[in-house]
């Protein structure tokens, strides 16, 4: 949500930081506090006090670094969009009638609530543009109203900082983006953007309150400007920002921020921002937009030039950034240019200083959030007085040169194998009908087969044993024996539940990407570089530094053991090439298509090895496929889908027809690229779908999709256990759009973050519901 650290070139060269480092804290402090509160281990007061401590700590870090304009309202206990839902009183009635405290109501919307006689599911959560961060979707009603809560969070936190001696710049999601990123609730038909005239007066009220509290400037994030906007969304900017302009000096000055793409195609919207103090644009993702944007600015408007990457961890190439900044200054003058990061630093780890185990030769290649703030300041000084930062400029040039020339980055054998790839390697031996006839006989699959997506609970004991093994406190044999016992447990529970296709539970895996990266050449790893994914969930993306290859099998040992003790088919579980790429910090010196093909070849070897060791159902997950989709239609999107699909097919096409290939995807909004989903040629797709309208499945009818699909029947992000009747209702809805013989029954996603009692309860209800429909349709037959 917050835009970017920035360094103004005007006046006294004031540093302006308009982004957070990490909501979680250096050691994921907020994650631990939230989870302790949810487990009734700390009080609400203690949690709120920890939030205040973290906010003050983050403000102080920025102030001590020399930052002059520091953001507020960038902290969130769960999600920044969810904050807006609550302080604009846009909370659906199913939560407001439960008489929960404001904090518990907030968490109920984020993760569901099943406690004290209250049972409500969470709101839908989806990816924030093309990042791996998830936001909670505003969910709106036909009779929707908005109003400002008493003592709203943006004002409260501004005053909190002010009391500590820090005057901040509050950050808000803009009214058009807030609505455009929302949806109509089930049973409602409202087009969210039609509510703009109801919402804007509440924004004005909030802005006036911020002005009265002492805020001089407010950052308004309108990231939807990088999309191809529907006409009604584009038209909504004019009345919204005219209302802000009409408020005049009763509200703070506004800086409108965009990121993750260019805004050239939406230049006709810019006149709506004529009264804004300035515009921020992402010049890392789209540097070519600089000169067109310069021509569109008003005579006194400031440009916030996003030249330091807020989405990756590579050291900024100062020479390239300075070229962009000099172009802007030549057009506008120093007093109208601000040096900034491209986007929020929410997407980068806290500080490189925490990393004590990175190889010495690569350490200097990286820059995390704290280092990026310094890069912004150095660039601003370099534009006006390069000799004052000559040492920093020379060190930067040396680091960029060292990475380009490193032997880590180039492996001739990998390049040779890529050059030898043929079109035939991307295709299965036979079409789906022929394959499925063999698979059904080989695997003895019933109607409405049940399975899970892969992982089972990562208990504290699993984490303790893994930590001991990492620290050499137990032997490899002791650790292997422990993992076998966990696999025994997972298999026995699936026996009890009566699932049809088993998984081994993945107790040996720390993360679905990191685990594979640790077993591949071309990666390096961090110890504390955590990034928020959603709520309290943090991930530690591995870093691709060179050409990728597989030196040895990665998953065969555990899968082979699990199959040897299973009564039913055992799924081998792999993370697909696109997701391994997207959920890593990728290289910026090599096109992503090249990195993805290298991953595909490594995974192809693993798929073939799994089959050779008796694993005849293999799931290659691609939850990041849609996330990686370029935000606008056109040649860039077409090219992405071509190489992404080819990479998946290259990874999976080396098996016999009787081996069944599954894949898993996050979200079911495939309408814009359904042809690519079909082109993957996976035998079974499972998709996250429990909080989406089942009508989205209509695309599978419209496109006559021939293969099998498992839309998720319950939300694994929430701890609540759905009743059996809920499962039956969801399956009934799905059968309106899918044929019985193509429907699989499974959860939304993996169960790693859940507790065993939650998992057992939910899966028992899921299997019972599947058996009900199996008997029902068997009788019809």
């Amino acid at each position: 949500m917050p835009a970017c650290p920035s360094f103004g070139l005007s006046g006294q060269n004031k540093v302006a930081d308009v982004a957070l480092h990490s909501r979680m804290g250096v050691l994921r402090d907020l994650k631990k506090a939230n989870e302790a509160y949810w487990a009734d281990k700390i009080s609400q007061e203690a949690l709120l006090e920890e939030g205040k401590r973290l906010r003050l700590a983050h403000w102080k870090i920025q102030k001590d670094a020399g930052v002059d304009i520091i953001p507020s309202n960038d902290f969130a206990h769960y999600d920044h969009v969810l904050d807006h839902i609550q302080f604009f009183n846009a909370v659906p009635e199913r939560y407001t009638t439960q008489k929960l405290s404001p904090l518990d109501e907030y968490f109920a919307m984020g993760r569901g609530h099943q406690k004290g006689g209250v049972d409500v599911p969470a709101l839908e959560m989806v990816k924030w543009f093309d990042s791996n961060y998830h936001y909670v979707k505003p969910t709106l009603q036909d009779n929707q109203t908005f109003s400002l809560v008493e003592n709203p969070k943006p004002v409260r936190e501004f005053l909190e900082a002010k009391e500590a001696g820090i005057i901040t710049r509050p950050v808000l999601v803009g009214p058009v983006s807030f609505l455009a990123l929302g949806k109509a609730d089930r049973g409602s038909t409202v087009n969210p953007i039609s509510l703009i005239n109801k919402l804007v007066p509440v924004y004005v009220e909030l802005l006036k309150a911020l002005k009265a509290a002492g805020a001089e400037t407010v950052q308004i994030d309108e990231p939807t400007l990088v999309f191809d906007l529907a006409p009604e969304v584009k038209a909504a900017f004019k009345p919204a920002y005219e209302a802000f302009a009409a408020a005049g000096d009763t509200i703070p000055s506004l800086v409108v921020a965009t990121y993750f793409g260019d805004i050239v195609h939406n230049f006709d919207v810019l006149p709506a921002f004529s009264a804004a103090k300035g515009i921020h644009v992402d010049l890392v993702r789209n540097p070519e937009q600089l000169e067109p944007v310069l021509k569109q600015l008003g005579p006194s408007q400031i440009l916030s030039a996003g030249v330091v990457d807020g989405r990756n961890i590579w050291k900024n190439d100062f020479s390239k950034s300075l070229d962009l900044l000099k172009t802007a200054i030549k057009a506008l003058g120093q007093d109208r240019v601000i040096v900034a990061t491209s986007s929020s630093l929410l997407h980068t780890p806290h500080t490189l200083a925490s990393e004590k185990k990175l190889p010495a030769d690569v350490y200097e290649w990286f820059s995390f959030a704290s280092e990026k703030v310094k890069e912004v300041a150095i660039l601003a000084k370099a534009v006006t007085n390069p000799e004052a930062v000559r040492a920093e400029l020379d060190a930067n040039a040396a680091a960029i040169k060292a990475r380009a020339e490193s032997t880590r980055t180039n492996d001739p054998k990998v390049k040779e194998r890529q050059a030898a790839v043929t079109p035939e390697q991307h295709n299965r031996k036979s079409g789906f009908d022929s394959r499925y006839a063999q698979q059904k006989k080989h695997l003895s699959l019933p109607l409405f087969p049940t399975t899970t997506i892969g992982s089972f609970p990562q208990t504290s004991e699993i984490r303790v044993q893994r930590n001991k093994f990492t620290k050499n406190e137990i032997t490899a044999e002791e650790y292997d024996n422990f993992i076998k016992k966990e696999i025994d447990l997972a298999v026995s529970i699936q026996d009890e539940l009566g699932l049809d296709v088993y998984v081994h539970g993945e107790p040996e895996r720390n993360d679905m990407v990191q685990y594979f990266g640790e077993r591949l050449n071309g990666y390096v790893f961090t110890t504390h570089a955590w990034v928020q994914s959603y709520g309290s969930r943090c991930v530690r993306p591995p870093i691709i530094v060179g050409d990728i290859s597989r030196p040895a099998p990665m998953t065969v040992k555990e899968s082979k053991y699990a199959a040897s003790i299973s009564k039913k088919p055992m799924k081998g579980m792999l993370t697909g090439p696109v997701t391994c790429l997207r959920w890593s910090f990728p290289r910026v010196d090599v096109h992503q298509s090249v990195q993805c093909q290298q991953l595909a070849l490594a995974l192809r070897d693993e798929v073939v090895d799994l089959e050779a060791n008796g694993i005849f159902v293999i799931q290659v997950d691609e939850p990041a496929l849609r996330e990686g989709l370029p935000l606008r239609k056109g040649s860039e999107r077409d090219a992405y889908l071509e190489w992404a699909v080819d990479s998946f097919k290259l990874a999976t096409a080396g098996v016999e027809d009787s081996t069944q290939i599954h894949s898993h995807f996050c979200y079911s909004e495939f309408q814009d690229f359904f042809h690519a989903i079909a082109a993957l040629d996976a035998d079974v797709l499972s998709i996250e779908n429990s909080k989406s309208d089942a009508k989205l499945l209509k695309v599978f009818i419209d496109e006559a999709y021939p293969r099998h699909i498992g839309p998720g029947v319950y939300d694994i992000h929430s701890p609540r256990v759905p009743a059996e009747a809920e499962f039956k209702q969801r399956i009934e809805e799905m059968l309106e759009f899918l044929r019985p013989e193509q429907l699989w029954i499974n959860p939304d996603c993996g169960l790693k973050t859940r507790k065993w009692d939650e998992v057992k309860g939910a899966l028992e209800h899921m299997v019972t519901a599947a058996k009900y429909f199996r008997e029902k349709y068997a009788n019809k037959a």
Side-chain angles (χ1 to χ4, degrees):
M1 161 190 138
C4 37
S6 53
F7 192 115
L9 299 178
S10 59
Q12 299 176 345
N13 286 0
K14 289 187 176 182
V15 178
D17 185 352
V18 284
L20 73 161
H21 281 23
S22 167
R23 294 170 183 161
M24 293 291 127
V26 179
L27 298 174
R28 294 179 294 160
D29 311 81
L30 182 61
K31 167 190 173 67
K32 296 169 185 176
N34 276 344
E35 292 176 356
Y37 176 69
W38 298 335
D40 294 324
K41 294 179 179 178
I42 64 172
S43 66
Q44 183 171 130
E45 291 72 21
L47 176 60
L48 294 175
E49 187 61 32
E50 176 67 355
K52 181 177 180 180
R53 182 190 72 78
L54 286 169
R55 288 191 295 274
L56 290 170
H58 297 159
W59 289 327
K60 187 175 185 300
I61 287 170
Q62 295 168 81
K63 184 177 182 181
D64 291 348
V67 174
D68 296 302
I69 301 175
I70 297 170
S72 58
N73 197 45
D74 53 1
F75 177 89
H77 271 280
Y78 203 90
D79 166 55
H80 60 275
V81 181
L82 180 57
D83 288 348
H84 288 64
I85 292 171
Q86 190 169 54
F87 63 66
F88 285 139
N89 269 320
V91 180
E93 187 178 6
R94 56 185 172 276
Y95 302 100
T96 61
T97 57
Q98 302 299 334
K99 299 182 179 179
L100 297 170
S101 70
L103 184 63
D104 286 342
E105 177 188 83
Y106 174 82
F107 284 136
M109 288 188 285
R111 63 192 299 268
H113 191 103
Q114 196 172 47
K115 189 176 180 181
V118 176
D119 186 1
V120 288
L123 293 176
E124 184 177 7
M125 186 168 60
V126 297
K127 295 291 179 74
W128 182 245
F129 292 77
D130 58 355
S131 77
N132 192 29
Y133 177 77
H134 301 64
Y135 77 97
V136 177
K137 246 184 182 317
T139 304
L140 306 167
Q141 321 298 316
D142 288 340
N143 60 350
Q144 184 69 51
T145 61
F146 302 98
S147 61
L148 195 62
V149 300
E150 185 178 353
N151 192 20
K153 177 179 177 288
V155 176
R156 191 169 67 242
E157 292 184 4
F158 175 84
L159 292 173
E160 184 178 278
K162 187 178 180 181
E163 185 180 345
I166 302 172
I167 301 299
T168 59
R169 172 183 288 174
V171 184
L172 302 173
V173 174
V176 177
S177 292
F178 177 80
L179 292 175
L181 295 171
K183 69 170 190 175
D185 204 354
R186 287 184 181 176
S188 291
T189 59
V190 64
N191 181 350
I193 203 64
S194 70
L195 301 169
I196 191 70
N197 291 328
K198 289 185 176 182
L199 180 59
V200 167
V202 187
Y203 266 86
V204 172
E205 183 182 355
L206 174 56
L207 290 168
K208 287 181 177 179
L210 286 167
K211 175 81 171 187
E216 298 176 0
T217 307
V218 171
Q219 179 181 324
I220 302 286
D221 285 5
E222 292 286 10
T224 52
L225 279 168
V226 303
F227 285 143
D228 292 314
L229 296 175
E232 64 270 21
V233 175
K234 187 173 285 194
F237 284 100
K238 187 173 187 292
Y241 285 83
E242 283 181 348
F244 295 157
D249 292 339
T250 65
I251 67 172
S253 298
L254 304 181
V255 173
V256 179
T258 69
Y259 35 83
F260 303 157
D262 76 84
I263 61 171
V264 173
H265 54 292
N266 283 319
F267 273 172
D268 54 336
V269 170
L270 291 190
F273 307 139
S274 59
K277 180 179 180 179
I279 306 290
H280 171 83
V281 293
D282 185 339
L283 297 178
V284 172
R285 185 72 68 90
N286 293 92
E288 67 278 2
Q289 71 176 315
L290 174 58
E291 294 197 21
V293 168
L294 291 172
K295 295 175 182 177
Q296 294 291 321
L297 292 175
S300 62
Q301 282 185 317
I302 289 170
L303 174 72
S304 174
V307 294
V308 175
D309 195 348
R311 289 280 298 274
N312 214 324
I313 45 67
W314 299 101
K315 185 162 287 188
N316 184 264
D317 187 335
F318 285 167
S319 64
K320 292 181 179 179
S321 295
L322 287 171
D323 286 344
L324 291 168
L325 293 171
K326 290 173 183 176
T327 298
I329 291 168
K330 183 178 180 181
L332 302 177
Q334 291 186 10
D335 60 339
R336 291 175 57 200
V337 178
I338 291 176
V339 185
T341 58
S342 61
S343 67
S344 168
L345 296 179
L346 171 69
H347 310 285
T348 56
H350 192 280
T351 177
L352 187 60
S354 299
E355 300 305 320
K356 308 300 183 184
K357 297 182 179 180
L358 279 171
D361 62 325
V362 303
Y363 184 90
E364 292 299 325
W365 300 354
F366 304 135
S367 176
F368 294 175
S370 295
E371 292 72 37
K372 288 179 184 293
V373 173
K374 295 175 184 177
E375 288 182 333
V376 167
I378 291 168
L379 283 167
K381 292 176 183 176
V383 170
T384 56
N385 185 9
E387 292 309 311
V389 287
R390 175 54 57 195
E392 290 88 344
L393 294 176
D394 289 346
N396 177 268
I400 299 298
K401 184 174 184 290
R403 178 161 66 90
E405 297 176 352
S406 172
T407 55
R408 279 184 180 268
T409 62
N410 299 297
D411 184 338
K413 291 183 179 179
V414 173
K415 291 180 170 60
E416 288 172 12
R417 188 177 183 193
Q418 285 185 278
V421 170
T422 65
E424 291 74 22
Q425 288 178 285
H426 297 82
N427 299 319
R428 298 287 297 272
K429 291 180 171 64
S430 305
F432 172 71
D433 289 342
S434 175
R435 297 199 306 263
Y436 185 66
Q438 295 183 53
Q439 293 163 13
K440 187 174 181 181
K441 181 179 179 181
H442 187 203
L443 302 172
S444 301
L445 296 174
L447 196 63
F448 302 108
T450 57
T451 190
T452 62
I453 302 305
S455 59
F456 277 143
Q458 289 266 317
T459 64
S460 59
E461 179 62 16
I462 290 175
R463 291 192 293 270
V464 166
Q465 293 299 317
R466 183 184 299 132
N467 192 42
K468 285 183 177 181
F469 178 59
T470 301
K471 294 180 177 179
N472 295 317
E473 294 176 3
I474 59 175
T475 66
E477 182 180 3
E478 288 173 322
Y479 184 64
D480 285 347
N481 288 335
F482 170 77
I483 293 299
K484 284 183 177 180
K485 289 180 181 178
E486 290 296 317
I487 294 173
D488 291 342
L489 174 65
V491 171
S492 67
I493 288 174
Q494 291 171 96
D495 284 339
E496 294 170 11
L497 291 168
L499 288 159
D500 299 304
V501 175
Y502 290 4
V503 297
H504 79 281
E506 305 176 18
E508 77 285 4
R509 303 187 191 183
N510 45 16
D511 175 83
M512 66 182 292
V513 174
Q514 182 181 343
Y515 178 82
F516 291 95
E518 288 173 346
R519 287 154 179 80
L520 293 168
N521 296 327
Y523 273 93
V524 297
F525 305 90
T526 62
T527 52
H528 298 291
W530 296 97
V531 178
Q532 185 182 15
S533 178
Y534 65 86
S536 67
R537 168 74 169 149
C538 298
V539 295
R540 189 157 43 97
I543 304 170
I544 303 175
V545 297
D547 290 333
I548 300 162
S549 61
R550 186 195 77 145
M554 301 179 287
T555 67
V556 172
K557 179 174 69 174
E558 292 80 12
S559 294
K560 183 178 180 180
Y561 173 73
S564 73
I565 61 170
S566 302
K567 298 177 181 178
K568 302 282 183 68
M570 175 63 61
K571 269 198 294 191
M573 301 299 305
L574 304 175
T575 303
V578 178
T579 300
C580 282
L581 176 70
R582 293 290 308 181
W583 290 0
S584 301
F585 287 119
R587 296 168 68 177
V588 292
D589 59 328
V590 174
H591 195 274
Q592 291 194 10
S593 61
V594 175
Q595 299 172 71
C596 202
Q597 188 186 56
Q598 292 174 357
L599 285 160
L601 287 168
L603 290 166
R604 181 184 181 92
D605 294 341
E606 189 72 13
V607 168
V608 170
D609 281 349
L610 282 169
E611 183 186 52
N613 282 273
I615 308 300
F616 302 114
V617 182
I618 302 171
Q619 182 170 310
V620 181
D621 288 345
E622 286 291 18
L625 182 69
R626 192 185 193 287
E627 171 192 317
L629 194 70
L631 298 175
R632 297 185 60 211
K633 294 180 181 179
S635 59
E636 184 183 0
R637 179 178 287 194
D638 293 341
Y640 163 77
L641 289 173
E642 182 176 359
W643 61 254
V645 168
D646 279 352
S647 294
F648 179 87
K649 293 173 70 177
L650 182 61
T652 57
V655 295
E656 299 298 323
D657 287 345
S658 57
T659 293
Q660 190 171 74
I661 296 295
H662 289 226
S663 191
H664 172 68
F665 300 91
C666 287
Y667 317 123
S668 52
E669 297 178 357
F670 297 139
Q671 294 88 332
D672 290 344
F673 65 109
F674 189 84
H675 67 284
I677 297 296
L680 294 172
D681 200 26
D683 299 306
V684 182
L685 297 180
S686 59
I687 59 175
E688 187 174 353
N689 186 71
S690 68
K691 288 186 287 186
S692 300
D693 193 324
K695 291 178 182 177
L696 292 173
L697 299 176
K698 186 175 181 291
V699 67
F700 290 92
I701 293 178
D702 294 342
E703 301 292 337
Y705 186 74
R707 292 177 286 279
H708 291 191
I709 179 170
V713 291
Y714 82 95
D715 176 20
I716 61 85
H717 298 106
S718 172
R720 70 182 291 272
V721 176
E724 184 182 321
E726 290 183 48
F727 284 102
K728 290 180 178 177
Q729 179 182 354
R730 288 298 288 169
I731 295 170
E732 196 75 67
E733 291 171 353
M734 292 170 185
L735 286 169
E736 294 180 23
F737 305 100
L738 299 171
R739 303 186 311 276
E741 62 271 17
Q742 72 177 151
L743 181 60
W744 283 62
I745 310 299
N746 47 256
D748 257 350
C749 202
L751 300 164
K752 175 181 179 178
T753 61
R754 302 272 54 90
K755 297 177 180 178
W756 269 117
D757 59 339
E758 299 163 358
V759 168
K760 290 179 182 177
L763 291 182
E764 182 180 356
H765 292 168
M766 185 188 84
V767 170
T768 302
K771 289 180 178 177
Y772 166 81
F773 283 96
R774 193 174 297 160
E775 293 171 3
K776 178 179 177 180
Y777 279 83
N779 292 335
K780 283 186 177 182

